Amino acid sequence: EDSAHALLYSLNRCAEEQKDEMSVRTLTEGYEAMLEDTVGRMQHFRETVQETRFDLAFQPIVDLKDGHIHHFETLVRIHDSSVFSNPFEFINFGEKAGIIGEFDLIMIQRALEVLQRASAKRYYPNISINVSGKSLNSQLFQDSLKELMGNYKGRRKQVVFEVTESSKIEDLEKVNTFLQWIRAGGSHISLDDFGTGESSFDYLRRLEVDFVKIDGSYVRESLLSNRGRLMLKAMADMCRQLDITTIGEMVEDEKNAKLLWDCGVRFGQGYLFGKPDIDEDALE
């Protein structure tokens, strides 16, 4: 299976980079080097996951009305940047290579362990954890997550699963059934980076969710033009009518926060409220 993933990833990458110049000859010449590189990157990815050579970082998501922290987003910080220069590159490779599910499960498990340690100290933060659409497509991932969540029944209500759109969900009906199982257990569901992908509104139409995180690009545009503000307000109004709570990204200053609130967005996330912190005691 790994060999098939590596070959497919290498062929796609070769095709993307050669584009119009691609031929059978250039493909043959180019893909073997890329395949070797891909196998090495897959091995490094797997070692990073299996040996947990990464830290969790937590960034607050705040109620724009009263400034209280509602929950923290759980982010990843990779120890070794020699192969993947940043977390986005690491996750993007995992999705395209078809092995992101392994990372998502370990990430969720480590986040749940943080909640267990916090409960032992008698504080109970709420956190959100990203889950790739690629992972949700997999029945193996769904079964594994059900088993994992069964070991942390007391922590379910503290978790929001953020569905990312960087990899398309193939069977929305099947995935929605699984997401409703998650919600029935007490956890919440959020759509991440809403508005940036081709499938955003289709996801909103076919997946029952509790939160929508509006991409930071809409926040920036709303500061620059009236058209941008109207777009942001329209998205917030639509979500409110669907009984979905909105979160705005990239809140850098008080002006951004006020604009989001005026447009009907309930929560904000950004450097105004705090940068990601790898010290889990920050949750307290």
Side-chain angles (χ1 to χ4, degrees), residues 123-143:
Y123 66 96
Y124 307 93
N126 298 315
I127 62 173
S128 64
I129 313 168
N130 289 335
V131 180
S132 169
K134 191 81 160 182
S135 299
L136 291 170
N137 284 328
S138 165
Q139 185 63 52
L140 177 59
F141 175 85
Q142 292 186 16
D143 293 341

Side-chain angles (χ1 to χ4, degrees), residues 75 83 267:
L75 303 166
V83 176
F267 297 110

